[in-house]
């Protein structure tokens, strides 16, 4: 036997022995195919977190499942609540919106038997920035669980919990808004009470997932994935197209007459792709109806023009009555149109009925008359929330 052949045999035997010495353990091999399966282990905790905003028919705002040779990723987000408070106003703090996002990431690489838990801080978005979110360890949730708060001026805080179990990493994120429980007060996007709800809800949901989700996932001894090919199958909920706005001048003349408006006084504003306005006289006031492709909450709650919001029922519709900040001669009813606004995940479009005095009457009389007139023409309006 030649010296070179002998050397090759020795190296080959050594290599085989080294491979045999490597021990691998089982890992999760498949994520749920649907969000309904992924959310089910924390269903009760999600319901408790959403509170009075909870609805069993709430639509998923975003679902995305990606599969490659080396990993699987599933994100599910739910939004509970509404922009318009129903009458009567409750005297206690009430959830307005409650949002939950759950993200699963599954690595399909083989898992060494002596592999240590991952440092999850490395998986925190923005962790490489000069001022990254400050993470805090949490005991009792998977492996090396951490939590942090993401804050942007003008937006609600977002509370996240991230934990790992074997080759699975799970991230739970919550955010929301509150009705403050005080009459004629705008919604609250940040408060100690809201933050407590977010922290408690996020941790409760994460604990439920860490406790129950792994038992529903199949396991296997993972083999080295092929890196020569990769497939991705995203499944995302389609974004609804805006589709323009409704023209208030289309309200039938007989409907306007029954409501007590002078059809001959109609004034049509310049109709744009994203807005339409029409105006009529009503004796001692003017009525302006304005539909715009802008989010209700931005147009009403974040506008400096309006004060003293309160819920009003118009037939089977719900609206928010507001007054102008610098004038007692106006009264406004704002409706949220079900048609999606011009910004993603920002709610529906804005439809306002705005009455202004032309004679010496009180604002209370004006608001009462506005409710009466709007109720009379409500059948001609587009669908509202």
């Amino acid at each position: 036997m030649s010296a070179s052949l002998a050397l090759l045999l020795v190296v080959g035997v050594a290599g085989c022995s080294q491979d045999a010495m490597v021990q691998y353990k089982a890992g999760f091999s498949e994520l749920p195919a649907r969000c309904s399966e992924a959310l089910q282990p924390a269903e009760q905790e999600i319901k408790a977190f959403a509170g009075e905003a909870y609805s069993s028919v709430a639509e998923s705002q975003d679902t995305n499942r990606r599969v490659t040779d080396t990993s699987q990723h599933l994100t599910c987000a739910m939004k509970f609540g509404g922009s318009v408070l129903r009458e009567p106003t409750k005297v206690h703090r009430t959830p307005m919106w409650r949002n939950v996002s759950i993200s699963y990431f599954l690595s399909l690489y083989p898992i060494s038997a002596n592999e240590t838990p991952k440092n999850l801080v490395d998986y925190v978005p923005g962790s490489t920035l000069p001022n990254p979110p400050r993470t805090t360890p949490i005991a009792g949730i998977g492996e090396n669980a951490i939590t942090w708060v993401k804050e942007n001026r003008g937006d609600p805080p977002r509370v996240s919990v991230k934990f790992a179990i074997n080759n699975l990493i799970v991230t739970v994120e919550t955010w929301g808004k509150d009705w403050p429980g005080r009459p004629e007060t705008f919604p609250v996007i940040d408060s100690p009470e809201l933050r407590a709800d977010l922290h408690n809800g996020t941790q409760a949901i994460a604990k439920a997932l860490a406790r129950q989700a792994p038992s529903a996932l199949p396991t296997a001894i993972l083999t080295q994935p092929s890196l020569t090919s990769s497939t991705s199958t995203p499944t995302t909920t389609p974004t609804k197209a805006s589709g323009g706005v409704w023209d208030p001048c289309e309200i039938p003349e007989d409907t306007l007459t029954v409501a007590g408006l002078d059809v001959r006084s109609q004034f049509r504003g310049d109709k744009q792709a994203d807005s339409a306005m029409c105006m009529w006289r009503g004796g001692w006031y003017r009525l302006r109806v304005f539909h715009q492709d802008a989010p209700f909450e931005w147009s009403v709650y974040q506008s400096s023009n309006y004060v003293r919001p309160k819920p009003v029922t118009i037939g089977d519709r719900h609206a928010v009555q507001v007054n102008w900040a610098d004038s007692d001669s106006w009264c406004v009813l704002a409706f949220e149109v079900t048609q999606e606004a011009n910004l993603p995940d920002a709610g529906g479009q804005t439809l306002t009925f705005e009455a202004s005095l032309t004679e010496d009457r009180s604002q209370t009389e004006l608001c009462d008359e506005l409710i009466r007139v709007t109720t009379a023409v409500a059948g001609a309006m587009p669908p509202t929330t």
Side-chain angles (χ1 to χ4, degrees):
M1 181 182 297
S2 67
S4 59
L5 178 59
L7 178 62
L8 287 174
L9 288 175
V10 171
V11 172
V13 171
C16 292
S17 300
Q18 186 175 6
D19 290 340
M21 292 175 59
V22 177
Q23 299 294 320
Y24 295 102
K25 62 180 180 179
F28 302 114
S29 57
E30 187 77 22
L31 287 180
R34 293 174 293 275
C35 281
S36 57
E37 300 173 13
L39 299 174
Q40 195 278 330
E43 182 179 356
Q44 294 305 313
E45 287 73 17
I46 292 173
K47 184 175 182 179
F49 166 69
E52 295 176 52
Y54 179 81
S55 171
S56 60
V57 296
E59 292 186 1
S60 174
Q61 297 298 303
D62 177 68
T63 61
N64 196 316
R65 191 176 193 273
R66 300 193 303 274
V67 178
T68 70
D69 291 334
T70 59
S71 65
Q72 296 182 11
H73 184 197
L74 175 65
T75 298
C76 307
M78 299 293 291
K79 185 175 184 178
F80 303 97
S83 298
V84 183
L85 182 65
R86 275 40 175 165
E87 284 189 294
T89 304
K90 296 184 179 295
V91 296
H92 63 284
R93 181 176 65 93
T94 308
M96 172 183 168
W97 289 115
R98 288 294 183 267
N99 300 63
V100 180
S101 173
I102 297 175
S103 178
Y104 292 83
F105 174 79
L106 185 65
S107 170
L108 298 178
Y109 283 100
I111 309 165
S112 172
N114 59 357
E115 185 171 316
T116 58
K118 298 176 175 61
N119 180 9
L120 297 183
V121 175
D122 295 337
Y123 293 80
V124 174
S127 58
T128 59
L129 297 177
N131 297 305
R134 180 180 301 174
T135 60
T136 304
I138 308 177
I141 304 178
E143 302 165 1
N144 292 351
I146 56 175
T147 183
W148 69 92
V149 180
K150 180 181 178 181
E151 300 180 80
N152 289 319
R153 185 181 298 273
D155 293 328
R158 296 186 176 214
V159 177
S160 297
V161 169
K162 186 182 291 287
F163 66 90
I165 298 178
N166 210 350
N167 59 326
L168 175 68
I169 296 177
V170 181
T171 306
V172 180
E173 183 182 44
T174 67
W175 63 101
K177 299 179 183 180
D178 276 351
W179 293 104
R182 298 185 300 275
E184 300 188 349
T185 305
F186 285 103
V188 174
I189 65 171
D190 193 3
S191 70
E193 295 81 6
L194 175 57
R195 289 196 177 219
D197 282 357
L198 299 180
H199 280 285
N200 294 337
T202 310
Q203 293 192 31
I205 294 168
K207 286 181 180 178
L209 293 174
R211 185 175 62 251
Q212 300 182 56
S215 62
L217 301 180
T219 59
I221 300 294
L222 303 174
T223 58
Q224 190 71 25
S226 170
L227 300 181
T228 59
S229 64
S230 178
T231 60
S232 180
T233 56
T235 304
T236 304
T237 302
T239 301
K240 298 177 183 177
S242 172
V245 295
W246 169 67
D247 185 356
C249 289
E250 295 178 357
I251 299 176
E253 289 189 357
D254 57 347
T255 300
L256 296 169
T257 301
V258 169
L261 298 173
D262 181 2
V263 297
R264 296 169 300 176
S265 67
Q266 177 178 296
F267 173 80
R268 179 192 293 271
D270 292 335
K271 189 176 187 302
Q272 307 293 330
D274 58 356
S275 65
M277 186 274 286
C278 206
M279 186 165 58
W280 302 268
R281 287 198 303 268
W284 47 274
Y285 62 91
R286 287 189 180 91
L287 175 68
R288 182 175 67 177
V289 182
F290 184 42
H291 186 188
Q292 55 180 322
D293 184 14
F296 177 91
E297 292 183 30
W298 284 30
S299 303
V300 180
Y301 299 143
Q302 298 185 34
S303 172
S304 59
N305 295 328
Y306 298 135
V307 294
R308 302 193 298 278
K310 71 174 183 178
V312 175
T313 300
I314 307 294
D316 60 353
R317 298 176 185 264
H318 302 282
V320 174
Q321 178 182 306
V322 289
N323 301 117
W324 283 97
D326 56 358
S327 174
D328 292 333
S329 299
W330 287 79
C331 188
V332 178
L333 287 176
F335 296 85
E336 182 184 31
V337 180
T338 54
Q339 194 167 334
E340 206 166 79
N342 56 10
L343 292 174
D345 195 27
Q349 298 177 355
T350 307
L351 174 62
T352 54
F353 283 67
E354 307 169 349
S356 59
L357 289 171
T358 58
E359 295 182 8
D360 187 16
R361 299 287 189 100
S362 71
Q363 190 177 49
T364 299
E365 289 179 284
L366 181 64
C367 290
D368 290 343
E369 178 67 5
L370 177 60
I371 292 173
R372 186 196 66 78
V373 172
T374 306
T375 302
V377 303
M381 292 166 49
T384 56
T385 60

